[in-house]
Amino acid sequence: MKKIFIVTVVLALALVPLAIGAQTPAEFQYLSFDIGYAPGWDFGNSSQITPSLFGINVRISDKLSAGIQTLQDATTDNFLLLKYSFLSQVRATVGFGVQDTGGANDAASSLGFEVIPFSRSVGGLAATEFKVAVKYDSPFANMVNGKILFALAFGIGF
């Protein structure tokens, strides 16, 4: 029993890096949907937050996509984001939108990046990806009262 466990662990340690390295970057061609959550800190209210995340993205060119992202917990924030892929698995994001700051909707900005550690193409038709993102969303009027978010999301695109 002990030998089987050791052999299994050794095989897993040897094969998992090979399987991850064999992945080819798979990106959506036309349209994608993101769903996830984004735990973080709201500097304006000095509180921890965990909003849910939903996004729709459209491919503009090989390295550029545009999308709408909604973050919802006790408040709702909506952003129009531009995403630029500067490495095969890393994207910079910049956007603007509306942030609910205690009952008032204020014009806001968003700045961050996404890392895609795992992606897969399904039959050349659809692409799935797991995203880890860091972003800072803040109202234009008072940029120090923003929200730093660490998002985990699943995306599927066509």
Side-chain angles (χ1 to χ4, degrees), residues 41-47 136 144-147:
W41 187 260
D42 185 346
F43 292 109
N45 296 327
S46 297
S47 62
Y136 185 73
V144 297
N145 284 343
K147 300 173 184 176

Side-chain angles (χ1 to χ4, degrees), residues 15-96:
L15 295 177
V16 167
L18 290 174
I20 291 172
Q23 287 186 6
T24 56
E27 294 190 22
F28 69 96
Q29 299 300 312
Y30 307 108
L31 178 72
S32 77
F33 301 95
D34 299 334
I35 189 164
Y37 70 100
W41 187 260
D42 185 346
F43 292 109
N45 296 327
S46 297
S47 62
Q48 183 179 353
I49 56 172
T50 308
S52 60
L53 177 147
F54 179 76
I56 299 174
N57 304 296
V58 176
R59 172 78 56 200
I60 305 293
S61 69
D62 286 345
K63 295 184 178 263
L64 183 66
S65 62
I68 297 170
Q69 188 176 77
T70 299
L71 299 161
Q72 185 172 4
D73 56 351
T75 61
T76 301
D77 301 339
N78 296 305
F79 291 97
L80 172 63
L81 294 177
L82 294 174
K83 300 179 180 184
Y84 181 76
S85 300
F86 60 92
L87 293 174
S88 64
Q89 300 288 341
V90 181
R91 296 181 190 133
T93 63
V94 64
F96 62 92

